[in-house]
Amino acid sequence: MVQGAQKGSHLTLVLMVASAAVGGTLQYGYNLAIMNAPTAFIQTFINETFLERWDIQLEDYQVTVVWTIIVSIFSLGGFTGALIAGPMTIHYGRKKCLLLNNLFLMSAALLALTSRAAKSFEMIILSRVLTGINAGISMNVQPMYFGESAPKRFRGAASLSSAVFTAFGVVLGQVVGLREVLGGESCWQYLLASNAIPGFIQLLTLPWFPESPRYLLIDRGDEKACIDALRRLRGCEVHSSELDEILQEQAEIRGMKPSRPWELLSDRSVRWQLISVIVISSAMQLCGNDSIYFYASYVFKEAGISEDQIQYATIGTGTCELTATIMCNLLIERKGRRFMLMGGFILMTVWAVIFTVALSFQSSFSWMPYLNMTCIFSYILSFGMGPAGVTGILPTEIFKQTARPAAYMIAGSMMWLNLFFVGMIFPFIMSGLSEFCLVPFGATCLSSALFVGFFLPETKGKSLSAITREFQKLNFRDGGFQPQHQSQSYRGKECLSTAL
């Protein structure tokens, strides 16, 4: 173990991030995006299936309802995945959990591939449920894996790479969904099954990388494996300060079992951490950004974009978010989490107002559709600059190891339930509110910005103990009992020093 700074190579960490993300959060973005291109074709398939089986010709609104179920059931699958992700990470570890997660994905791809030949839209629905479970698990486990594996100065950037790969997945799904690729009438079943390819890449590459060092030491008590993992991920000998921080957390939670979600809900010492995670995770979906990917055709049609240009305009939405998340990755360790979150929500509020005004005067000016499209792109760009990336980092940074899986379960559950809710009502908001369709989402963004400004402390570059002390000021404002944690285990330090 070395005392001072020693420069190492982070190549292993970078490759590990890429391997985990390709089969992880990339899948979330990819599976959001690929459902837009075959909308008309699958709706025709649904109608033909009803006609062939039961000799029933569905009305347009009935087809829309079935299609909405196919799209939104992905969110309920994600909710299920978020619930089982916590127990899976505790039992199997972060890396193995991501590998096992591909069982859901491969089953979903097989169902999607054979659904057309079987003339069964129910197989598409089941496929979307399994795909959602896969995405729900990866959206919880991957940021946890990255946050626990990266050094403190790169913790934000490593965790934010989950958002970068989500945005890349969106762009990839939009490109693959072009009519010239797999978005045509004859290929939609291959488009829905194409998510198996990133899964295969992860299965081939991720086994070669180490498990989370914090999981190995704190959860498994395997000192040697922790040290080996740190050496591989840092590309040099392990710094004493980094080991000391892990040991301090281990000492503070010694003898404590992993928390269950309902235990966190009744634990006053994490009250404001939990409120923060619930509010920010809910706002990430209630802002309506991800629903724009589900229903991009509806949104751009409302904005006045011609039918033949919509598929290309849709690619612009994903490109905007990808660009923004990369910029956020570069800025987050300089500007901090709080600044990026609050700034992103404020900008989204501004663009929602401009979009509403532009839609109101759409018939008055010929150039107004282009302003509408600019507003949509800017709204997504603002989302990528803050909420898209920072939200996934928070549970890793503000909860201890024993509470982290349960915190991610709660955060993931809120995100997926709200995505399901917004996904179900989004088409009806578009038709019912017309030019005021973004007003509810703008109000959500403004409320979220105010919450972050008043209640969320900055976490950039701080240890977990320092962040916890910040939250204790909110949790125990009335001077109530504050739990005292035991001091760091020096015996553990000596053992690790000997091992090194």
Side-chain angles (χ1 to χ4, degrees):
M1 181 168 62
V2 297
Q3 300 293 327
Q6 180 176 345
K7 189 174 180 180
S9 169
H10 294 286
L11 179 62
T12 301
L13 177 64
V14 171
L15 293 176
M16 180 271 284
V17 165
S19 174
V22 161
T25 52
L26 180 141
Q27 292 282 11
Y28 172 68
Y30 188 80
N31 287 295
L32 277 181
I34 61 174
M35 290 308 291
N36 182 62
T39 299
F41 306 131
I42 297 180
Q43 287 179 344
T44 301
F45 173 70
I46 293 167
N47 221 338
E48 290 174 350
T49 303
F50 269 85
L51 195 60
E52 185 174 332
R53 285 188 195 170
W54 301 295
D55 197 27
I56 297 174
Q57 180 71 46
L58 295 179
E59 300 289 338
D60 286 347
Y61 81 91
Q62 292 174 317
V63 175
T64 301
V65 169
V66 177
W67 172 246
T68 303
I69 292 171
I70 290 174
V71 170
S72 300
I73 204 74
F74 173 72
S75 309
L76 291 185
F79 173 65
T80 305
L83 291 179
I84 65 177
M88 283 182 69
T89 54
I90 294 169
H91 187 73
Y92 296 109
R94 290 27 167 174
K95 185 180 83 169
K96 192 176 289 185
C97 181
L98 288 172
L99 292 170
L100 290 172
N101 191 27
N102 285 289
L103 290 173
F104 298 107
L105 180 70
M106 298 306 168
S107 302
L110 183 62
L111 285 168
L113 186 64
T114 56
S115 61
R116 189 169 190 172
K119 297 181 180 179
S120 170
F121 66 86
E122 296 91 346
M123 291 174 68
I124 300 177
I125 294 175
L126 183 55
S127 170
R128 291 293 290 175
V129 171
L130 293 173
T131 303
I133 293 173
N134 171 269
I137 292 173
S138 64
M139 289 289 284
N140 277 17
V141 179
Q142 185 181 301
M144 197 187 314
Y145 184 31
F146 292 173
E148 292 177 359
S149 299
K152 185 164 62 177
R153 67 183 184 279
F154 295 137
R155 189 175 58 200
S159 296
L160 188 58
S161 63
S162 297
V164 174
F165 276 90
T166 298
F168 177 65
V170 169
V171 176
L172 185 62
Q174 290 168 340
V175 172
V176 175
L178 290 172
R179 293 188 186 95
E180 296 85 348
V181 189
L182 290 180
E185 194 278 334
S186 61
C187 299
W188 60 260
Q189 70 273 25
Y190 302 113
L191 175 64
L192 299 188
S194 61
N195 53 16
I197 296 173
F200 277 121
I201 294 174
Q202 184 183 76
L203 286 171
L204 291 172
T205 56
L206 190 59
W208 300 97
F209 296 101
E211 177 58 91
S212 155
R214 285 180 179 270
Y215 173 81
L216 290 170
L217 179 58
I218 299 175
D219 289 74
R220 290 290 181 229
D222 193 337
E223 300 170 359
K224 185 178 183 303
C226 171
I227 295 165
D228 290 342
L230 284 171
R231 281 175 175 158
R232 289 183 62 191
L233 291 168
R234 306 296 178 264
C236 63
E237 288 301 311
V238 183
H239 296 175
S240 59
S241 59
E242 186 168 16
L243 281 173
D244 289 349
E245 185 184 338
I246 300 175
L247 281 166
Q248 181 179 354
E249 185 175 351
Q250 183 193 40
E252 289 175 350
I253 62 174
R254 188 179 299 278
M256 297 171 62
K257 295 181 178 179
S259 300
R260 296 179 174 89
W262 52 89
E263 292 173 342
L264 288 189
L265 293 172
S266 60
D267 186 351
R268 185 178 178 183
S269 67
V270 295
R271 178 179 297 170
W272 276 96
Q273 290 95 313
L274 198 58
I275 291 173
S276 299
V277 163
I278 289 173
V279 170
I280 303 303
S281 297
S282 298
M284 184 176 173
Q285 300 303 340
L286 292 177
C287 71
N289 182 83
D290 286 351
S291 295
I292 291 176
Y293 295 127
F294 276 154
Y295 300 107
S297 297
Y298 291 95
V299 175
F300 284 115
K301 198 176 294 181
E302 184 70 25
I305 307 302
S306 61
E307 196 77 43
D308 58 330
Q309 296 299 316
I310 285 178
Q311 66 168 341
Y312 303 108
T314 300
I315 294 177
T317 61
T319 305
C320 279
E321 186 171 338
L322 177 60
T323 303
T325 52
I326 292 172
M327 290 172 61
C328 186
N329 210 325
L330 298 174
L331 291 173
I332 192 167
E333 294 300 348
R334 296 182 181 181
K335 298 296 184 181
R337 285 61 158 155
R338 191 166 171 268
F339 175 86
M340 301 300 290
L341 258 182
M342 190 162 57
F345 280 127
I346 290 173
L347 286 173
M348 290 172 76
T349 306
V350 171
W351 288 113
V353 171
I354 297 174
F355 182 74
T356 302
V357 174
L359 277 182
S360 300
F361 292 95
Q362 183 167 292
S363 58
S364 304
F365 303 97
S366 60
W367 47 266
M368 202 57 76
Y370 299 103
L371 177 59
N372 294 334
M373 190 163 65
T374 301
C375 289
I376 294 171
F377 288 159
S378 300
Y379 190 83
I380 293 171
L381 195 69
S382 304
F383 175 78
M385 286 293 291
V390 181
T391 303
I393 301 173
L394 287 181
T396 298
E397 294 195 326
I398 66 179
F399 284 96
K400 292 183 172 63
Q401 188 83 2
T402 52
R404 205 167 287 147
Y408 267 105
M409 286 172 67
I410 294 172
S413 298
M414 297 306 301
M415 188 190 81
W416 287 104
L417 285 176
N418 283 294
L419 179 60
F420 175 75
F421 170 71
V422 176
M424 287 296 291
I425 67 170
F426 195 87
F428 303 102
I429 289 177
M430 292 292 298
S431 59
L433 296 182
S434 189
E435 65 266 25
F436 301 105
C437 58
L438 278 192
V439 170
F441 305 119
T444 299
C445 294
L446 180 59
S447 302
S448 303
L450 291 173
F451 176 87
V452 172
F454 283 115
F455 298 109
L456 186 69
E458 181 55 70
T459 62
K460 181 190 71 151
K462 296 180 181 177
S463 67
L464 180 61
S465 299
I467 295 168
T468 300
R469 286 194 295 271
E470 291 278 347
F471 274 105
Q472 298 296 40
K473 297 173 186 177
L474 291 171
N475 293 329
F476 300 97
R477 280 185 293 189
D478 58 358
F481 171 74
Q482 298 190 37
Q484 300 294 319
H485 298 291
Q486 65 188 81
S487 60
Q488 183 176 341
S489 171
Y490 289 97
R491 183 180 300 174
K493 277 197 207 177
E494 292 170 2
C495 292
L496 281 171
S497 301
T498 304
L500 285 162

